Amino acid sequence: MAERSFLAEVEKLKLGAGEEFHGEGILAVTKALLQSGVSYVAGYQGAPISHLMDVLTDANDILAELGVHFEHSASEATATATLAASVNYPLRGAVTFKSTVGTNVASDALANLASGGVIGGAMLIVGEDYGEGSSIMQERSHAFAMKSQVWLLDPRPNLPSIVKAVEQGFELSEASNTPVMLELRIRACHVHGHFATKDNVRPAFTLKDAIEHPKRDVNRIVLPPSSYLHEQEKVKERWPAAVKFIQENQLNEFFASDANDFGIVMQGGLYNGVLRALEILGLANAFGESQIPLYVLNVTYPLVDDEFKTFCTGKRGLFIVEEGQPDFIEQNIHSILRKADLQTRVHGKDFLPMAGEYTGGVMLQGIKKFIELYAPELLNNARHQVPAIQSNALINQVIAEATAQVLPRPPSFCTGCPERPIFTAIKMLEKELGPRHISCDIGCHLFSILPPFNVGATTMGYGLGWAGASAFNTPETEHRTMAIMGDGGFWHNGLTSGVGNAVFNQTDNVLLVVDNGYSAATGGQDVLSSKAINPIRSTNNPIEKAVKGVGVDWVKTVTHTYSLDQMRGALREALTTQTKGPKVVIAQSECMLNRQRRVKPQIRQRIKQGERVVREKFGVDPDTCTGDHSCIRLSGCPSLSIKANPDPLRTDPVVAVADSCVGCGLCGEVSHAAVLCPSFYRAEIINNPSGWDRFKVKLRKWIIGRLQNRIERRLQGISAA
């Protein structure tokens, strides 16, 4: 169950020639694939491109009608290897995943694919997860394009440009026999707009044709001496063919080339930010009309020498807007201009930061410095039109004031998350058995490294949790290490690189697999072990069966993580048992977000139909709460907060439970397990109550009222005496 459904939106994919598409960038990419005659699509979900996999899943019937095969790949490497179908056959194929972590995983397959080359168009659509909203190490896809010689497209973030990049990307791939990488930042993925559609194209040469008429070309296989010839072919044939195609089809764009004797060169994906900065400075309008010459690199690799020579001839200065480091493009431009003996001065990272996302404010300040150097009179002329742009000091002041109002918000587990009790149990065991080295993995469970749990020492990559503790496999101590892995990471890479490796090397340590039923961190997609019935995928394949299949003998499964007694008991046994060899604890409970997505519509429907529905909520008795807040420190649930103490003689605030509570019961479980306090209570909220429910409420009110009146009378008597 993905985090949202696109079943309604995918109907737009059926639009034909002469119609107009209105919608989101991700849907536009899918429509462009269908218009391009794609034969197969594969991928692995990951921000900011996750929704593309969700759209393709919801559009599976439409794809099938066109003869397009779609797969959820086991990993990004699996997805990229799928493009091997385009090596020997005129089949257009596309794969998608998150970059750069996904590109890291896919790099071996990508290098082999790029070495041998392709006949059919091969496209990798990568979500460039760089900058303020990123959850990964800060790297760029550009290095992979350079390393393997894959052409890198970075289109302007509007729907016509994105659709054009997909369509012409396939053509560029086929013209140069080279895979193409299409880079989409988060704003491009979710930008809304419109474009004129074309008819969807059913592939002329189908997968069936390829299967029934197999072909092979040993020269396309990466094996000496062919591999040496591949390198020569890249330089002598493919590169020139790509440059020729880029020039002839005007993939890069020029705006106001002769407006001034200086100009700005930018990655296509940064065009909107550059134009907005110029608009604020009074040097452009909202329709893209600029007073400054602009050269937009919709293809950032390879660069076209002749285009730079033409653009820079007669220009004193050039400003390069290139996000991230190293400054690959800026260095390349220096080389192009010096070899051409053009003396145009090149600026870039001297006015812009070397690292970090180029937000609107960052680009505004950098472009302003560049204009001040080459044509300060342009800014002086614009000041009366744009009074807000007075000085860098004013800009910095505005940014600082805005920043001061935004509180830090570290990522955390959702309300009711079934992973919270797992880490509560680990913290309790630390008190009992002492601290230990814990190796983490990628996924929601990585939030445990932050307060209130503070668990974990390292993370090496998706599915590499147990591999990250491989060195700590020594008979010199009986103090076992622990590794943590999610079910998504387990099926992605962990079964072989973690579990298989531990079995082979006879580790005596412990792996905890967090099995919440979905690839939850990427949007709630199904995995092999999901309990849900998936109409187009195989689910209900137990993790316990898989680990036993590769040789793990000691396996315990906890089917209800909210039970701290069960969780602590299983982990304690794994850490202290005399049994040698790898030990695996599988902690199962459904992802609460997905459970709410599944259950809430059902509850609303039942209430609407007049059925009796009982929901549980938890609360805290303020008269009983001592105000020590241990329940918050041991669970960290967002629905737990504090409020003023109702007792005038006590100053410590008491705990309160917000309306966001989903009734998981962890807070009360923590209180009882840690022997903290009895202040938690459970309440039942009943919709469409029965006659018996109403009678019980009346009876309870009468009894409680009588008891309260009795206490009140007694207190009055004591007061009178």
Side-chain angles (χ1 to χ4, degrees), residues 195-248:
F195 67 94
T197 60
K198 303 174 186 175
D199 289 332
N200 295 332
V201 176
R202 187 179 183 88
F205 186 87
T206 67
L207 293 168
K208 178 177 180 291
D209 294 330
I211 294 169
E212 294 179 353
H213 302 89
K215 294 180 181 180
R216 63 189 294 269
D217 182 355
V218 71
N219 293 321
R220 298 295 95 201
I221 299 174
V222 185
L223 182 72
S226 295
S227 51
Y228 309 134
L229 298 176
H230 294 167
E231 184 180 25
Q232 296 299 317
E233 183 182 298
K234 282 182 177 181
V235 175
K236 295 178 181 179
E237 298 177 24
R238 298 190 212 165
W239 189 301
V243 169
K244 181 181 178 183
F245 184 91
I246 293 166
Q247 286 183 284
E248 290 181 349

Side-chain angles (χ1 to χ4, degrees), residues 428-648:
M428 290 179 171
L429 277 176
E430 282 186 348
K431 294 287 186 182
E432 179 182 337
L433 303 176
R436 64 193 61 252
H437 179 89
I438 298 179
S439 175
C440 296
D441 207 311
I442 302 299
C444 298
H445 43 84
L446 190 57
F447 297 151
S448 63
I449 67 171
L450 301 173
F453 302 112
N454 303 301
V455 166
T458 57
T459 177
M460 289 292 104
Y462 201 27
L464 295 176
W466 214 359
S470 297
F472 304 111
N473 181 22
T474 173
E476 296 179 4
T477 177
E478 294 183 357
H479 194 71
R480 292 175 177 135
T481 65
M482 183 185 297
I484 299 169
M485 190 186 299
D487 47 356
F490 175 87
W491 293 114
H492 177 275
N493 193 19
L495 179 59
T496 52
S497 298
V499 180
N501 181 71
V503 171
F504 185 67
N505 289 290
Q506 299 181 332
T507 186
D508 190 39
N509 294 314
V510 178
L511 171 67
L512 170 63
V513 180
V514 181
D515 181 8
N516 58 26
Y518 308 89
S519 184
T522 62
Q525 295 83 7
D526 286 339
V527 292
L528 275 159
S529 51
S530 295
K531 304 291 188 196
I533 302 300
N534 190 312
I536 61 173
R537 301 287 178 256
S538 173
T539 52
N540 280 284
N541 298 284
I543 291 176
E544 181 171 338
K545 185 177 179 181
V547 298
K548 287 182 176 178
V550 296
V552 178
D553 295 322
W554 198 103
V555 186
K556 299 288 182 184
T557 298
V558 177
T559 57
H560 186 64
T561 62
Y562 297 102
S563 170
L564 285 175
D565 284 341
Q566 289 185 46
M567 277 308 314
R568 277 193 301 175
L571 291 173
R572 183 190 295 112
E573 186 178 354
L575 293 168
T576 60
T577 180
Q578 296 301 307
T579 303
K580 299 298 181 181
K583 284 157 279 290
V584 176
V585 176
I586 302 166
Q588 290 181 339
S589 275
E590 185 180 13
C591 166
M592 185 55 73
L593 268 183
N594 266 32
R595 184 177 186 277
Q596 293 300 314
R597 294 183 189 119
R598 178 173 56 81
V599 170
K600 280 185 176 180
Q602 298 173 357
I603 291 175
R604 285 195 296 267
Q605 184 65 23
R606 290 174 60 195
I607 292 173
K608 185 177 179 180
Q609 293 174 349
E611 292 184 35
R612 179 180 181 271
V613 175
V614 181
R615 292 173 293 139
E616 288 186 345
K617 293 278 187 178
F618 282 75
V620 174
D621 181 359
D623 294 324
T624 309
C625 178
T626 62
D628 74 343
H629 309 142
S630 296
C631 52
I632 295 177
R633 291 196 298 273
L634 279 171
S635 77
C637 181
S639 67
L640 289 178
S641 185
I642 57 174
K643 66 178 183 181
N645 200 314
D647 189 337

Side-chain angles (χ1 to χ4, degrees), residues 163-441:
V163 170
K164 180 181 177 182
V166 173
E167 294 175 339
Q168 293 190 321
F170 280 117
E171 296 173 12
L172 172 60
S173 176
E174 290 165 348
S176 59
N177 301 120
T178 302
V180 167
M181 186 181 295
L182 175 65
E183 173 184 67
L184 296 176
R185 296 171 180 81
I186 187 170
R187 290 172 180 81
C189 291
H190 300 299
V191 68
H192 281 250
H194 59 90
F195 67 94
T197 60
K198 303 174 186 175
D199 289 332
N200 295 332
V201 176
R202 187 179 183 88
F205 186 87
T206 67
L207 293 168
K208 178 177 180 291
D209 294 330
I211 294 169
E212 294 179 353
H213 302 89
K215 294 180 181 180
R216 63 189 294 269
D217 182 355
V218 71
N219 293 321
R220 298 295 95 201
I221 299 174
V222 185
L223 182 72
S226 295
S227 51
Y228 309 134
L229 298 176
H230 294 167
E231 184 180 25
Q232 296 299 317
E233 183 182 298
K234 282 182 177 181
V235 175
K236 295 178 181 179
E237 298 177 24
R238 298 190 212 165
W239 189 301
V243 169
K244 181 181 178 183
F245 184 91
I246 293 166
Q247 286 183 284
E248 290 181 349
N249 292 274
Q250 300 178 352
L251 269 61
N252 296 320
E253 297 174 286
F254 297 88
F255 299 95
S257 295
D258 300 321
N260 267 294
D261 61 352
F262 57 91
I264 301 175
V265 178
M266 73 212 72
Q267 295 164 299
L270 301 182
Y271 170 82
N272 288 3
V274 171
L275 194 70
R276 176 58 178 155
L278 290 173
E279 183 185 357
I280 292 173
L281 292 169
L283 302 176
N285 62 27
F287 300 101
E289 297 170 346
S290 171
Q291 298 178 35
I292 310 299
L294 305 178
Y295 177 19
V296 182
L297 298 175
N298 293 314
V299 182
T300 54
Y301 184 81
L303 299 183
V304 181
D305 293 23
D306 288 345
E307 290 185 352
F308 273 97
K309 293 173 188 177
T310 301
F311 185 72
C312 293
T313 298
K315 288 186 171 56
R316 293 179 293 145
L318 194 66
F319 187 46
I320 315 301
V321 184
E322 176 187 7
E323 186 175 58
Q325 54 78 35
D327 50 349
F328 296 119
I329 297 175
E330 187 174 336
Q331 293 178 38
N332 199 341
I333 292 172
H334 272 290
S335 175
I336 293 170
L337 297 184
R338 297 300 82 85
K339 288 178 180 178
D341 198 26
L342 289 172
Q343 301 309 308
T344 306
R345 292 185 61 190
V346 177
H347 303 274
K349 299 297 185 182
D350 50 344
F351 291 153
L352 289 167
M354 176 63 80
E357 182 179 354
Y358 284 0
T359 60
V362 169
M363 284 192 275
L364 175 63
Q365 294 189 54
I367 292 171
K368 184 171 181 288
K369 290 176 184 177
F370 175 69
I371 303 297
E372 284 175 338
L373 178 64
Y374 282 90
E377 67 278 3
L378 290 178
L379 294 178
N380 292 330
N381 294 337
R383 286 186 194 280
H384 69 281
Q385 301 173 11
V386 193
I389 304 303
Q390 299 295 335
S391 65
N392 284 334
L394 178 60
I395 295 173
N396 291 333
Q397 179 184 347
V398 171
I399 293 174
E401 289 174 355
T403 303
Q405 298 179 44
V406 180
L407 297 176
R409 184 180 178 271
S412 182
F413 296 104
C414 302
T415 300
C417 176
E419 300 183 17
R420 287 182 185 279
I422 296 171
F423 298 105
T424 299
I426 291 174
K427 294 301 290 183
M428 290 179 171
L429 277 176
E430 282 186 348
K431 294 287 186 182
E432 179 182 337
L433 303 176
R436 64 193 61 252
H437 179 89
I438 298 179
S439 175
C440 296
D441 207 311

